[in-house]
Amino acid sequence: MTKNVSTKLHLTLATYRVSKTLQNLYLGIMVTLLPGNIVYGGAITNRKTNNYKSLGHFVIEKYKEFDDKIVMIDAVSGKEYTAKYMHDSVIRIAYVLKSLGVKAKDVVGLSSENCIEFAITLFGAFAINATVAPLNVTYSEREVHHAINLSKPKVIFASGTTIERVANVAKNNAFVKNVISFSSEKSTSDILSFKELLESRSIPSNTMLEYEEVDKNDDVILIVCSSGTTGLPKGVQLTQANVLSVLDSQLTATSIPIGEVKMLTVIPWFHSFGCLTLILCACAGTCLVHLPKFEDHLFLSAIEKYRVMMAFMVPPLMIFLAKHPIVDKYDLSSLLALLSGAAPLGKETVNQIKERIGVPIIRQGYGLSETTLSVLVQNDDACKPGSVGTLAMGTYAKIIDPDTGKILGPNQRGELCFKGDCIMKGYIDDAKSTRSSIINGWLHTGDIGYFDENFEFFIVDRIKELIKYKGFQVPPAEIEALLLTNSKIKDAAVIGKPDEEAGELPMAFIVTQPKIQLSEQEVIDFVAQRASPAKRLRGGVMFIDEIPKNPSGKILRRLLRDLLKTKIKSKI
């Protein structure tokens, strides 16, 4: 339902406040160009988190401060949760974790869709300075095994949809001492009940936590999985200082609290983007309306019912708002801002949404798991078509020639590199990958871009070969390795097939063994049975005589993309 003139006039002041919130939240006070063509986002002038012993201490004190304010709404059940409820529940789960033998620096696994239990567990682990390792809920047992062998969790919490997979894998990994289910009413010998633990009478009614000082620069608080280009996911280690610096730059450095805004999210909290925005909203006192997954009617009705003002988005959701006919059946006039991340967003989609729904503010940004959250974000003064905004405060950026390492100036294309307190500690148990990614303190992103004379950044290509499917990073090498386990396949290569809705679809080029019959559907089914949904061959299969490679054996994906383009043109 399109906004009428009266509604637009009525929301003018609110729109202005949201706009200024975004401008102050995400961007440096003064972006400058330092000697040597280094771009600097400006100093973080107000580090309030320094007054707290740890991230857990900061979160819990914020919940105490917000008291009876409603801070979370489950849009499926309609249940509302106050800050006081969160405060008390987080402390109780912290006590439970201690009783299970979890201590500071131990790892807590978390495999669940967005739900209140996820948030309570996350912050409960933070409260005792344990490290949390979120797990993708679509992981197969093979992928769960790999992920937990990176982080070595002592306990794993799981939802009803993942508990069976998690429990099966945990049996074969002795470092997992307990598995806790969010859905079970009663504990068994193998699986404990979250509900039973949370409500246990053995927990003192006035449980108090003694917060311990931590080495914020060294102590890892999150291990998030980030797919590399050479196989299974790597574990990105984010320290207390990484997360606290993001909170300082995006929250406490502004006088206009994001807590005044009702926010909707369907971004998975097991994803770094979702997890960090959950933490940000909790510390801001934002009323966060959350969904476990995207369902069109539920998503739209949540905006309408709760008069949502802002929403965290990814491009496929933006395309849905721009094009799906069902959108016209709902009143979305409360929406003032959409914040899109995880993959590039086209100018046409932005314009379609503004025209169709009347959302006055649409912003996108750029970040990696390795940068904790966004390091580049648009604002009113930095939102040229195609840009991803300008640099966040406390962060440095440079563009280098990928071949020579020379630092480039404005409007010169090269690899984006970042430096600052938000840059990860490194990949867990992978010193080689860490050394190749962080050189002299600079994170080399593998993405090609440039900045203009106004310090707006543009992403134009990428060196890395990750396929971006609906915001998920899919490594071609992992699918290729899986395909090569099929005895009928001699060689294989995987690329991303462009797709307007998903961004890219994994597509395979297959060389069969001599005198072997193999159908496209057989190959698609083979991968589907062994990999998570994002890695399935939705782009199809093409059979070819030979995979093009350079003398050292590296797959020449550029030639495969050219071959795909030729095939598409021949069908037109």
Side-chain angles (χ1 to χ4, degrees):
M1 194 178 289
T2 305
K3 294 182 182 178
N4 57 37
V5 175
S6 174
T7 303
K8 284 186 176 180
L9 289 174
H10 180 70
L11 292 174
T12 297
L13 178 59
T15 302
Y16 172 79
R17 295 183 71 192
V18 170
S19 176
K20 299 310 289 183
T21 296
L22 290 174
Q23 185 160 340
N24 289 340
L25 265 177
Y26 291 103
L27 301 166
I29 299 169
M30 184 179 295
V31 180
T32 56
L33 188 63
L34 301 178
N37 286 321
I38 305 296
V39 184
Y40 179 45
I44 301 174
T45 58
N46 193 352
R47 291 186 177 269
K48 291 185 178 178
T49 62
N50 284 348
N51 299 326
Y52 298 84
K53 293 181 179 180
S54 65
L55 174 60
H57 184 201
F58 184 62
V59 173
I60 290 177
E61 289 302 307
K62 284 296 175 182
Y63 273 143
K64 186 185 296 184
E65 177 185 326
F66 301 134
D67 196 26
D68 290 327
K69 181 179 181 180
I70 294 172
V71 292
M72 297 193 78
I73 299 176
D74 184 329
V76 176
S77 67
K79 290 182 179 179
E80 299 180 348
Y81 302 91
T82 64
K84 185 179 188 307
Y85 172 84
M86 293 299 296
H87 173 272
D88 294 348
S89 298
V90 166
I91 289 180
R92 290 180 71 83
I93 284 300
Y95 184 93
V96 168
L97 287 169
K98 282 190 170 185
S99 71
L100 294 174
V102 179
K103 56 187 182 300
K105 298 186 180 182
D106 282 342
V107 178
V108 174
L110 190 44
S111 175
S112 171
E113 303 80 8
N114 300 354
C115 62
I116 193 69
E117 294 87 356
F118 185 113
I120 291 170
T121 303
L122 180 77
F123 298 132
F126 288 174
I128 61 171
N129 298 321
T131 303
V132 177
L135 302 170
N136 189 321
V137 299
T138 69
Y139 276 171
S140 64
E141 288 191 15
R142 177 181 70 97
E143 292 162 321
V144 171
H145 176 79
H146 171 77
I148 68 171
N149 273 276
L150 288 175
S151 57
K152 300 289 195 301
K154 182 175 283 188
V155 300
I156 305 178
F157 292 76
S159 68
T161 60
T162 66
I163 188 66
E164 184 177 349
R165 268 172 287 157
V166 167
N168 286 341
V169 174
K171 290 175 185 176
N172 298 316
N173 291 279
F175 52 79
V176 181
K177 303 305 180 185
N178 293 106
V179 175
I180 300 101
S181 170
F182 288 155
S183 59
S184 301
E185 290 291 324
K186 296 289 184 182
S187 297
T188 66
S189 57
D190 297 325
I191 299 174
L192 301 177
S193 163
F194 177 89
K195 183 175 185 291
E196 201 169 71
L197 292 172
L198 184 66
E199 297 174 355
S200 172
R201 293 183 180 180
S202 65
I203 303 174
S205 57
N206 294 317
T207 301
M208 297 292 291
L209 285 176
E210 292 185 8
Y211 301 102
E212 299 177 4
E213 291 280 0
V214 297
D215 184 343
K216 295 175 182 177
N217 292 314
D218 188 62
D219 284 10
V220 175
I221 197 71
L222 278 171
I223 300 173
V224 293
C225 285
S226 175
S227 297
T229 59
T230 56
L232 289 162
K234 297 193 288 288
V236 175
Q237 299 177 99
L238 299 178
T239 66
Q240 300 239 3
N242 290 151
V243 178
L244 290 169
S245 71
V246 167
L247 293 177
D248 279 329
S249 65
Q250 299 196 5
L251 177 66
T252 61
T254 176
S255 60
I256 306 175
I258 194 175
E260 295 179 7
V261 177
K262 189 172 283 186
M263 184 86 74
L264 173 68
T265 187
V266 68
I267 309 299
W269 292 342
F270 61 73
H271 189 284
S272 57
F273 178 27
C275 190
L276 270 296
T277 50
L278 167 63
I279 297 168
L280 173 64
C281 288
C283 294
T286 305
C287 181
L288 191 62
V289 182
H290 58 90
L291 290 164
K293 62 180 179 178
F294 176 75
E295 294 179 44
D296 51 13
H297 290 282
L298 196 55
F299 178 79
L300 295 169
S301 63
I303 297 173
E304 181 180 78
K305 179 179 179 180
Y306 297 108
R307 306 304 294 161
V308 168
M309 297 169 70
M310 296 171 66
F312 292 118
M313 304 287 283
V314 288
L317 293 181
M318 299 293 279
I319 292 171
F320 166 77
L321 287 180
K323 297 186 175 183
H324 202 290
I326 195 177
V327 173
D328 292 325
K329 298 180 181 180
Y330 291 82
D331 177 9
L332 308 183
S333 61
S334 62
L335 276 178
L336 299 179
L338 299 174
L339 312 178
S340 183
L345 181 65
K347 177 186 175 183
E348 296 78 10
T349 303
V350 172
N351 292 339
Q352 286 174 330
I353 293 174
K354 286 187 174 182
E355 183 177 342
R356 185 181 196 188
I357 304 173
V359 180
I361 303 167
I362 296 177
R363 299 286 180 258
Q364 59 178 318
Y366 168 90
L368 310 167
S369 298
E370 290 86 345
T371 63
T372 309
L373 198 55
S374 299
V375 284
L376 299 168
V377 184
Q378 292 180 330
N379 77 337
D380 290 350
D381 301 319
C383 55
K384 293 174 186 173
S387 92
V388 286
T390 191
L391 199 58
M393 64 175 68
T395 309
Y396 298 84
K398 66 179 179 180
I399 306 290
I400 66 168
D401 184 307
D403 297 320
T404 66
K406 177 185 176 182
I407 302 176
L408 306 175
N411 299 305
Q412 294 181 294
R413 298 185 177 191
E415 183 181 11
L416 279 81
C417 302
F418 298 97
K419 189 176 184 178
D421 291 341
C422 64
I423 303 302
M424 68 168 181
K425 181 177 181 178
Y427 299 111
I428 190 167
D429 292 334
D430 193 345
K432 181 179 178 182
S433 294
T434 300
R435 285 194 302 270
S436 64
S437 295
I438 302 176
I439 302 171
N440 296 324
W442 287 93
L443 175 73
H444 290 241
T445 67
D447 290 318
I448 298 294
Y450 67 95
F451 63 90
D452 65 13
E453 58 281 349
N454 301 119
F455 308 121
E456 282 196 64
F457 283 76
F458 299 78
I459 310 298
V460 296
D461 203 346
R462 63 181 180 268
I463 301 170
K464 291 183 179 179
E465 297 167 337
L466 290 174
I467 297 167
K468 290 202 171 183
Y469 170 75
K470 292 189 174 182
F472 289 98
Q473 294 181 331
V474 179
E478 183 184 346
I479 305 175
E480 288 159 1
L482 180 59
L483 287 166
L484 292 175
T485 64
N486 188 317
S487 60
K488 294 183 178 182
I489 295 175
K490 180 181 179 181
D491 204 358
V494 175
I495 65 169
K497 180 180 180 181
D499 181 81
E500 183 181 26
E501 181 178 352
E504 292 179 317
L505 302 174
M507 176 186 179
F509 292 81
I510 299 294
V511 179
T512 61
Q513 297 287 3
K515 300 179 182 180
I516 288 291
Q517 295 296 316
L518 184 65
S519 70
E520 177 180 5
Q521 193 58 50
E522 282 181 88
V523 177
I524 291 171
D525 291 344
F526 181 83
V527 173
Q529 292 164 8
R530 294 165 175 81
S532 50
K535 296 167 187 172
R536 294 174 184 173
L537 298 176
R538 290 181 168 84
V541 174
M542 186 185 297
F543 292 93
I544 58 178
D545 295 330
E546 184 180 9
I547 302 295
K549 297 179 181 179
N550 69 8
S552 66
K554 182 177 174 61
I555 296 171
L556 298 174
R557 299 184 201 278
R558 174 179 53 82
L559 297 182
L560 294 174
R561 294 188 187 98
D562 291 342
L563 181 61
L564 175 60
K565 288 177 184 177
T566 302
K567 181 182 179 181
I568 292 172
K569 286 180 180 178
S570 68
K571 291 184 177 181
I572 297 176

